[in-house]
Amino acid sequence: VTMTPPPSQSPSLLLVIVTLVALWTLCEAVVQSPLDQRQYRSLTLANNLEVLLISDTDADYAAAAMDVGVGSWSDPEPLLGLAHFLEHMLFMGTEDFPDEKGFSDYLSAHSGHSNAYTDKTDTNYQFQVASNALEGALERWAGFFINPLLTESATGREVNAVNSEHSKNLDNDSWRIDMMRRELSDHHHPYHKFSTGNLDTLRDYPEQNLFLHKALEDFHQKYYSAGIMKLAILGSESLDVLESYVHKYFEAVPDKHIKRPYYGPGDPSMPPTPYTLAHVNKYTKIVPVQQGHTLVIQFPLPPHTSHEVLSYLGHMIGHEVTGSLISELKVHEYANGLSAGSYESMSILNTFEVSIRLRSSVMESGEIDVIVASVFKYLKFLKESELTDWSYEEVMLTADNLFRYLEKEDSFGYVRTVSADMNQFPIEHVLDHAYHYRPFVEVRQEIESTLDLLQADKNYNIFLISSSLSTDEVFDQEEFYGTKYTSTSITPAQKQNWKESQASFNFALPIPNKFIHAEYEDNITGSPTGVYYPLVQFQNASIKGWHYADTEFKIPRSTLYVNILTPVASLSPKSSVSMTLLTMMVEEQLKDVAYFAALAGSSVSVSVGGEGFHIEISGFDDGATTQSLLSSALDSLFHVEVSKNRFEWMKEQLEEGMKNSLVQIAWKTGRRLLTEMLLTPTWSTQEKIEAIRSLQFEDVVALKSSCFDELFVELFYHGNVKRETVSVISRLFSPFLPQLPQDRVSSSLSLLRSFKSRTIDLAPAVSLIYEYNNKQITGAAGDSTIWSYYQTGPLNLKESAILMLLEQIVHPKAFDQLRSKENLGYIVWVSRRPTRSADGMCFIIQSNVQSPNYLDNRIEKFIQSIMAPTIRGMTEADFAVFKEALRTALVAPFNSMKEHSDHFWGEISSRQYIFPRSDLLVAELEQLKLEEVQKFSERYFFSVATRKKVSIHVIGDVENEISTDPNQKLIEMNGMSQFHLQSALYGDFDPFYYHRSPSFLDSDPPSSPTHGAPTTDSTTFTPTPTPTPTTSTLSPVSSSSSSGGGSVVGIVITGIVMLAVGMGGTYTYINHRHQIIALVSRTPEGGDFMTLPDDDQGMDPSWDDHHGHDINSLGDMAPPSAIDIFDGADSDSDFD
């Protein structure tokens, strides 16, 4: 196949590329993105420690990372996991700061967190802290690398945490398959080593005169040398001040005058590669934990294979448009998905993999050989095709655009990446190495030689990973994860058959990508100033369109969010799974466009949730790109092809995914169950699986014909886009929306609200327990998990601020006591967790050593013996420190335009429209008194008589003992539906109660919205007594910039009046018994006028769907995210 470049496109691409290559060649300092306004300085200290300083005067958070050039490959036999164990131990105190929790306490008090990871050849330590606390953190942290305590006491305790960390991964197929790759490699090469460590490997070996504590000290003494370390520090101080910190605290890091351990070709102590001739050409069958079937072909490549070649070949092999390998496999009903690219990419090791997700019918028919042959036929087709420069230059230009318009990463992740890359790349390319592409003429020969290695007669390994592998076969068992497998040699005859297969496929190379541009039009210059929140720019009976022009990041990116609401989305488990299947068909129909968009740095997706369909388009844009992608998405959605063939294989795929959601990490199971417990109606995963099994093709056809009958669309367009474009975008929906009279639309939305989930109002003085036996459901037990949830009441600004403050105070202490001291499990977390209309806080533990009931008791003991004395005995000075730390988190600016977009969309999609939420929380925080926090804690955590609690017990290998607590009430595994029927419910989110500032200094609890039995009336809260409608006084809360962006507009609530910003001006909602009776508009030009709202004016028909977009300061050590909130009638929904 010969492809010629489009004459209108190629010259401009080449000009841009040549210019940029010239710029990169001339730069000798650190190459920065043109948008990067930070200052950089690299230096080497007298002890040979290499340092990169980054000064960012706008940074609210400072951060530092140290990359030590030694990792798990240097673990001495048999102490596998020693490097990882040492990583844990460095956090357990130093000679200058011996308190084991001193560093974490300091970070917590200054809005910070820390983490670390151990890789094959390096170990990386990172922390983030408020910018004004950087020096104190560096002083404490430097001791990790100079004089860590490494006490025997801590050694004995922390080894259990490492063992728990390994335990949580035992049923994770990603970890299991990764270990299989190592198991099948040459065991004379360190690649084969088990890297995490457990109690079997991390112990004393007296017969070999090896002792764990001494080995830790020796490893640190031998390898923790300044000469193989790389330090990156980012702060708001000047480069000179940052450099003074480095000299002051890190010149004492000893230089042992060692070289970084090398494991590549030329080392006589090991083979040049883990995949020697004796360890390639193997066909390995692996039994996974989860349902599904995957075929992987692994090609070992020369270590020096460049990232340009790997990226380009990944694109050419993995593309998804018509004529691609995956497209043809789908046509023949062999596969559901494919990925291709580098798996290991190191200076000393490279592997390239093609991974195919197979359909079950392939396993039943035994057509694996046909699929293997298809891969090699396509690779041969690529080799024999004439590869063109324009196809490579498209990849090159996209990389350039990504770097040219590179947005700030958060400080923590940035220094972590930079420090690790300093150990891999020259300092001048430490920021741009992944985006720096040589011209096609310089890499063409390498592409061709690499393609030559990806042929049927060369060396490779094949993995067949399938849950349907016959148990009659004799399997080996991998030592550390227990994975069952069998491995045989690939014969020359098999290779010949794959090479000469007569299977017919219509392969084709990708066509030119219309979404890739060398330049993008600036649509934001000249945008109105003084607009700090989204405004409605288009509205009619069926559509509301919001807009906000970005004037902060000033890059040619945008995000368009669209919710298409339909009342049939979640009427039943069957309607829910039918909607999901329909959306999968839409995604399949959209795949060509979506793939081209992805290659150009954009994305388009259609998903489904509890209220209907969701479209999201994001990436490079000057207006035309998004319009084109939206037109394609709408056409695919409203003209989706519902075929019997698609139905069958997508139904299989959906059921497989649902089943796999039951076999997941224990803490995730607990999170899912807590969602299902607290929201009703909520269709459980088991209910959905049953609905899928009985689902017929005709059900999806019927749903398609009804789900578009009554619709309401709400959208938000943010970024490099003019406000008038919203009207153009909104009108693209006109051909697809039913032309309904206004009363039908209002009726439709009322019907929609009647099916919305409500939050269970837990009863006080009773501790509910829901037991879930993992083994009964999945056949495998594993770790135990507990989610202890303490409900505090309806969402309220002040209570949100208190809970966020308590999380910041309590989490480090819980982590220290329950994880570090009691060794209950690797995962220990305390997190505020809002539901749809209520708030609360969770204590989460995943354990491989104790039962859920035991964990529940230890959490109770912690609350009464540590949390309670801490809160009761807190001084005003300490309270002020924690308040300031939380304030720092709340006012931190957004790191990217997408983050800013997501914040605004959270408010719009929840239909709460509280855009300055963080500023309002800061205002509440500033007024908050210590005594109020103490009273609040007594009521909702310390007093058994007044608190409201439910615990999710996920029972693993350790059986749950019977509780003797008379205050506990057990809910059986099949008793959740009955519990929902008997429980009171909170009403919808109430904006007036949310802005009320209740006092906790009184003896009685603050009044809250009433609740009762399930009802279709969303206005269940009537204020008592009802104040006379009044207007409010408007005054600024703060003049500083915050996460809301721009100057801050505040709210002073008088009676039941609330300010909202949007819809063309500043509006005061005058509300009487939940009905908008008037809108007082303060226009930008000045002056007030009053309008009476009708059905398509004013506030959106419902105030509900809180989605927890308040700021939470969570570290990377926490798997459960506080903003992974409960949502929709579907517990696993990603809608909104």
Side-chain angles (χ1 to χ4, degrees):
V1 177
T2 301
M3 302 184 69
T4 56
S8 62
Q9 185 179 11
S10 184
S12 61
L13 292 182
L14 190 59
L15 178 61
V16 171
I17 291 164
V18 170
T19 303
L20 286 161
V21 169
L23 287 173
W24 273 325
T25 304
L26 293 174
C27 289
E28 295 182 2
V30 177
V31 179
Q32 299 172 234
S33 166
L35 292 180
D36 189 353
Q37 300 302 306
R38 293 168 290 208
Q39 293 181 309
Y40 295 82
R41 178 183 296 171
S42 62
L43 64 149
T44 302
L45 302 184
N47 59 359
N48 290 313
L49 174 64
E50 293 186 21
V51 183
L52 183 64
L53 305 175
I54 309 167
S55 175
D56 183 355
T57 56
D58 296 326
D60 286 85
Y61 285 104
M66 180 77 85
D67 193 82
V68 185
V70 65
S72 61
W73 282 8
S74 295
D75 287 343
E77 297 277 3
L79 288 165
L80 300 179
L82 188 66
H84 176 226
F85 184 30
L86 179 61
E87 169 224 301
H88 278 236
M89 287 296 298
L90 293 198
F91 287 87
M92 308 296 284
T94 66
E95 290 182 9
D96 295 329
F97 297 92
D99 185 352
E100 287 185 6
K101 58 185 179 64
F103 183 58
S104 62
D105 282 350
Y106 180 86
L107 294 181
S108 179
H110 296 89
S111 195
H113 59 90
S114 63
N115 210 339
Y117 68 81
T118 302
D119 207 342
K120 302 173 186 66
T121 60
D122 65 332
T123 307
N124 195 285
Y125 301 83
Q126 328 93 35
F127 74 82
Q128 176 175 291
V129 72
S131 58
N132 61 358
L134 174 61
E135 184 177 8
L138 290 173
E139 181 182 13
R140 290 160 174 79
W141 187 63
F144 285 27
F145 315 104
I146 302 170
N147 51 18
L149 287 180
L150 303 179
T151 66
E152 290 198 56
S153 170
T155 300
R157 285 181 281 111
E158 194 61 21
V159 71
N160 291 304
V162 172
N163 187 63
S164 294
E165 182 176 354
H166 169 60
S167 177
K168 77 176 177 62
N169 299 325
L170 285 174
D171 292 332
N172 186 313
D173 279 330
S174 295
W175 285 85
R176 294 164 69 91
I177 305 306
D178 180 73
M179 190 66 226
M180 283 305 308
R181 289 182 175 89
R182 306 184 195 196
E183 173 68 17
L184 297 169
S185 69
D186 193 324
H187 282 213
H188 293 95
H189 193 284
Y191 179 69
H192 84 280
K193 290 183 177 181
F194 167 56
S195 59
T196 307
N198 61 19
L199 290 179
D200 293 327
T201 64
L202 295 172
R203 60 182 178 85
D204 292 338
Y205 296 84
E207 69 281 2
Q208 301 181 42
N209 199 30
L210 274 176
F211 299 93
L212 182 58
H213 178 252
K214 181 66 165 55
L216 278 173
E217 294 179 325
D218 291 346
F219 196 92
H220 191 278
Q221 174 62 31
K222 179 178 180 179
Y223 290 115
Y224 274 59
S225 170
I228 64 169
M229 295 181 181
K230 311 292 180 184
L231 174 63
I233 298 179
L234 184 153
S236 58
E237 297 91 335
S238 68
L239 289 173
D240 289 339
V241 172
L242 292 176
E243 183 172 345
S244 71
Y245 294 165
V246 171
H247 288 292
K248 185 175 181 180
Y249 299 115
F250 292 93
E251 284 189 337
V253 178
D255 182 14
K256 281 65 177 288
H257 303 287
I258 64 169
K259 292 184 178 179
R260 186 182 184 190
Y262 175 73
Y263 306 96
D267 186 335
S269 66
M270 66 186 68
T273 172
Y275 294 106
T276 56
L277 285 177
H279 296 85
V280 291
N281 301 317
K282 302 293 183 183
Y283 193 129
T284 303
K285 298 178 181 179
I286 301 173
V287 181
V289 172
Q290 294 199 328
Q291 299 289 306
H293 321 281
T294 303
L295 179 72
V296 178
I297 305 180
Q298 176 201 59
F299 299 91
L301 295 178
H304 58 266
T305 307
S306 67
H307 80 92
E308 297 107 315
V309 171
L310 295 170
S311 176
Y312 178 66
L313 289 178
H315 158 52
M316 298 299 289
I317 299 168
H319 83 96
E320 301 176 14
V321 298
T322 302
S324 66
L325 174 56
I326 184 55
S327 175
E328 287 297 293
L329 289 174
K330 286 182 177 180
V331 167
H332 288 79
E333 302 182 15
Y334 291 145
N336 296 331
L338 179 147
S339 62
S342 175
Y343 182 80
E344 300 284 4
S345 183
M346 306 169 62
S347 60
I348 55 178
L349 173 64
N350 253 317
T351 60
F352 188 93
E353 294 188 355
V354 179
S355 178
I356 303 170
R357 192 168 68 252
L358 305 174
R359 297 189 189 176
S360 295
S361 57
V362 173
M363 299 301 299
E364 296 166 2
S365 63
E367 295 177 288
I368 298 297
D369 281 349
V370 177
I371 298 174
V372 174
S374 72
V375 174
F376 287 116
K377 286 183 75 71
Y378 184 79
L379 292 171
K380 182 181 179 183
F381 162 76
L382 275 184
K383 180 184 175 183
E384 295 175 350
S385 300
E386 182 179 344
L387 300 179
T388 58
D389 55 356
W390 70 261
S391 62
Y392 175 85
E393 285 165 3
E394 283 190 341
V395 177
M396 188 175 183
L397 181 59
T398 298
D400 165 59
N401 283 335
L402 291 171
F403 186 68
R404 195 192 328 179
Y405 302 113
L406 194 62
E407 296 182 84
K408 276 187 182 180
E409 190 178 345
D410 68 278
S411 301
F412 182 80
Y414 192 61
V415 295
R416 176 180 57 197
T417 301
V418 167
S419 63
D421 287 347
M422 289 170 66
N423 248 326
Q424 300 288 335
F425 303 99
I427 193 65
E428 61 268 25
H429 288 302
V430 77
L431 303 182
D432 79 319
H433 62 88
Y435 308 93
H436 187 185
Y437 280 64
R438 293 168 292 163
F440 181 67
V441 67
E442 295 183 24
V443 298
R444 179 169 189 160
Q445 185 174 351
E446 186 183 350
I447 292 172
E448 292 172 349
S449 63
T450 303
L451 259 178
D452 188 56
L453 297 175
L454 308 183
Q455 302 301 314
D457 56 352
K458 296 301 193 292
N459 295 319
Y460 46 85
N461 291 310
I462 295 177
F463 303 97
L464 177 61
I465 307 160
S466 173
S467 55
S468 67
L469 288 172
S470 172
T471 54
D472 295 335
E473 294 189 48
V474 178
F475 287 96
D476 294 319
Q477 186 164 305
E478 189 275 322
E479 177 181 2
F480 298 103
Y481 292 85
T483 307
K484 292 184 178 181
Y485 72 98
T486 180
S487 189
T488 58
S489 295
I490 298 171
T491 66
Q494 284 177 298
K495 289 190 174 187
Q496 195 66 23
N497 288 337
W498 293 332
K499 183 177 180 179
E500 297 177 356
S501 170
Q502 298 304 305
S504 177
F505 298 95
N506 297 316
F507 294 132
L509 295 178
I511 61 175
N513 190 342
K514 67 178 182 179
F515 296 115
I516 297 177
H517 302 290
E519 299 293 339
Y520 291 90
E521 182 181 350
D522 178 7
N523 288 322
I524 55 177
T525 301
S527 294
T529 58
V531 177
Y532 304 114
Y533 305 109
L535 304 177
V536 172
Q537 298 296 340
F538 183 91
Q539 186 166 354
N540 63 24
S542 300
I543 305 176
K544 180 186 288 186
W546 296 79
H547 168 264
Y548 184 72
D550 169 72
T551 56
E552 178 181 355
F553 296 96
K554 300 178 181 177
I555 56 175
R557 289 180 179 271
S558 72
T559 301
L560 173 68
Y561 307 84
V562 181
N563 275 352
I564 303 175
L565 311 181
T566 170
V568 304
S570 292
L571 296 180
S572 66
K574 179 175 283 188
S575 69
S576 176
V577 297
S578 296
M579 286 283 288
T580 302
L581 273 174
L582 193 66
T583 307
M584 292 169 67
M585 295 177 186
V586 173
E587 287 272 271
E588 179 67 17
Q589 200 159 306
L590 188 62
K591 69 180 188 308
D592 285 18
V593 172
Y595 187 75
F596 277 128
L599 289 178
S602 298
S603 64
V604 54
S605 64
V606 181
S607 56
V608 67
E611 295 185 339
F613 300 101
H614 176 65
I615 299 173
E616 184 168 328
I617 300 169
S618 185
F620 292 120
D621 183 33
D622 53 9
T625 298
T626 294
Q627 291 181 47
S628 175
L629 292 174
L630 179 61
S631 294
S632 298
L634 292 176
D635 185 66
S636 297
L637 175 61
F638 288 94
H639 298 142
V640 59
E641 177 190 346
V642 181
S643 67
K644 184 78 171 178
N645 176 50
R646 280 186 177 180
F647 170 78
E648 292 296 341
W649 70 263
M650 288 184 176
K651 176 183 175 181
E652 173 193 312
Q653 188 177 350
L654 180 58
E655 184 176 357
E656 180 183 292
M658 287 287 181
K659 288 179 179 178
N660 286 336
S661 70
L662 297 176
V663 189
Q664 57 183 351
I665 299 173
W667 68 260
K668 290 186 176 181
T669 299
R671 179 184 62 184
R672 172 176 61 82
L673 293 170
L674 184 62
T675 303
E676 294 173 3
M677 171 67 73
L678 291 176
L679 292 182
T680 183
T682 299
W683 313 127
S684 69
T685 303
Q686 286 93 334
E687 289 175 310
K688 291 180 183 179
I689 291 174
E690 290 302 318
I692 294 169
R693 288 171 178 165
S694 63
L695 195 67
Q696 301 298 314
F697 173 67
E698 291 74 19
D699 295 324
V700 179
V701 173
L703 181 116
K704 180 195 173 185
S705 66
S706 64
C707 69
F708 300 129
D709 288 347
E710 293 184 299
L711 300 174
F712 186 84
V713 175
E714 187 159 30
L715 63 86
F716 172 46
Y717 201 2
H718 173 218
N720 179 43
V721 55
K722 298 174 182 177
R723 61 182 179 180
E724 52 266 29
T725 310
V726 175
S727 296
V728 178
I729 288 285
S730 298
R731 290 188 176 93
L732 292 177
F733 288 85
S734 298
F736 306 107
L737 295 181
Q739 301 302 310
L740 301 176
Q742 183 60 42
D743 60 345
R744 283 286 302 280
V745 174
S746 299
S747 173
S748 174
L749 291 175
S750 297
L751 181 64
L752 174 66
R753 292 201 305 279
S754 71
F755 289 102
K756 296 198 65 58
S757 296
R758 298 291 183 84
T759 303
I760 297 291
D761 182 6
L762 300 175
V766 177
S767 294
L768 298 172
I769 294 176
Y770 178 72
E771 283 192 350
Y772 180 89
N773 194 310
N774 227 357
K775 193 169 186 178
Q776 289 183 20
I777 300 296
T778 67
D783 286 2
S784 302
T785 288
I786 184 170
W787 281 67
S788 282
Y789 176 75
Y790 296 80
Q791 192 177 71
T792 58
L795 290 168
N796 173 270
L797 268 172
K798 174 176 278 189
E799 296 185 24
S800 295
I802 292 175
L803 285 168
M804 296 165 73
L805 198 60
L806 285 174
E807 177 187 327
Q808 193 163 40
I809 296 168
V810 174
H811 169 71
K813 294 186 178 298
F815 189 87
D816 176 65
Q817 179 63 34
L818 302 176
R819 181 188 183 277
S820 300
K821 289 187 169 66
E822 298 189 31
N823 299 134
L824 296 181
Y826 178 72
I827 293 174
V828 174
W829 200 256
V830 179
S831 175
R832 171 184 172 243
R833 193 162 182 83
T835 62
R836 183 173 302 285
S837 56
D839 223 335
M841 193 154 77
C842 275
F843 290 76
I844 305 131
I845 304 176
Q846 177 171 318
S847 176
N848 63 320
V849 294
Q850 297 293 352
S851 70
N853 203 55
Y854 182 88
L855 300 176
D856 207 339
N857 291 334
R858 297 314 300 166
I859 290 171
E860 283 296 324
K861 181 68 174 178
F862 168 81
I863 289 174
Q864 299 301 333
S865 64
I866 295 179
M867 179 180 171
T870 298
I871 301 301
R872 290 166 180 163
M874 181 167 288
T875 66
E876 291 289 349
D878 288 340
F879 184 63
V881 170
F882 282 110
K883 284 176 62 174
E884 177 58 26
L886 179 56
R887 191 200 69 82
T888 299
L890 289 169
V891 302
F894 297 107
N895 289 302
S896 67
M897 184 192 295
K898 183 63 168 61
E899 189 179 317
H900 202 181
S901 301
D902 287 342
H903 165 75
F904 284 145
W905 177 242
E907 297 296 340
I908 293 170
S909 64
S910 68
R911 297 190 289 282
Q912 293 180 22
Y913 311 112
I914 307 174
F915 298 120
R917 192 183 297 266
S918 293
D919 304 313
L920 300 174
L921 284 165
V922 169
E924 286 289 349
L925 185 66
E926 289 174 349
Q927 301 300 317
L928 194 61
K929 296 180 175 62
L930 173 58
E931 188 179 357
E932 290 182 292
V933 176
Q934 291 169 332
K935 294 284 188 180
F936 179 92
S937 301
E938 292 287 347
R939 180 174 298 141
Y940 294 118
F941 295 98
F942 307 154
S943 172
V944 177
T946 57
R947 74 181 186 188
K948 300 191 286 187
K949 175 190 173 185
V950 61
S951 293
I952 304 297
H953 288 194
V954 180
I955 304 171
D957 290 323
V958 183
E959 288 293 329
N960 225 17
E961 60 269 24
I962 298 175
S963 172
T964 58
D965 186 344
N967 294 317
Q968 290 185 345
K969 178 182 177 182
L970 181 66
I971 302 173
E972 299 291 344
M973 195 154 64
N974 59 356
M976 192 179 291
S977 297
Q978 187 66 26
F979 166 73
H980 286 166
L981 291 173
Q982 296 173 349
S983 297
L985 304 177
Y986 284 105
D988 283 341
F989 169 80
D990 187 280
F992 310 103
Y993 183 78
Y994 183 75
H995 288 277
R996 180 185 172 191
S997 185
S999 172
F1000 295 97
L1001 302 183
D1002 304 324
S1003 57
D1004 296 324
S1007 60
S1008 63
T1010 59
H1011 52 266
T1015 173
T1016 59
D1017 178 13
S1018 65
T1019 59
T1020 57
F1021 168 49
T1022 302
T1024 305
T1026 304
T1028 302
T1030 59
T1031 57
S1032 65
T1033 304
L1034 311 182
S1035 61
V1037 174
S1038 169
S1039 60
S1040 63
S1041 177
S1042 74
S1043 59
S1047 62
V1048 177
V1049 177
I1051 298 178
V1052 176
I1053 304 299
T1054 304
I1056 53 171
V1057 178
M1058 172 188 149
L1059 169 73
V1061 182
M1063 297 180 285
T1066 302
Y1067 285 76
T1068 301
Y1069 292 143
I1070 302 181
N1071 184 285
H1072 183 72
R1073 293 185 181 270
H1074 275 232
Q1075 301 299 313
I1076 302 299
I1077 61 172
L1079 295 175
V1080 179
S1081 174
R1082 192 148 301 165
T1083 64
E1085 294 78 17
D1088 295 347
F1089 64 88
M1090 179 173 289
T1091 61
L1092 295 178
D1094 52 31
D1095 287 335
D1096 64 342
Q1097 184 179 19
M1099 196 156 56
D1100 210 78
S1102 66
W1103 287 81
D1104 51 10
D1105 283 339
H1106 181 66
H1107 296 283
H1109 295 279
D1110 300 339
I1111 300 296
N1112 277 272
S1113 177
L1114 290 179
D1116 280 1
M1117 298 181 77
S1121 170
I1123 59 171
D1124 181 10
I1125 36 63
F1126 306 146
D1127 180 26
D1130 294 314
S1131 62
D1132 59 348
S1133 168
D1134 59 359
F1135 188 53
D1136 286 358

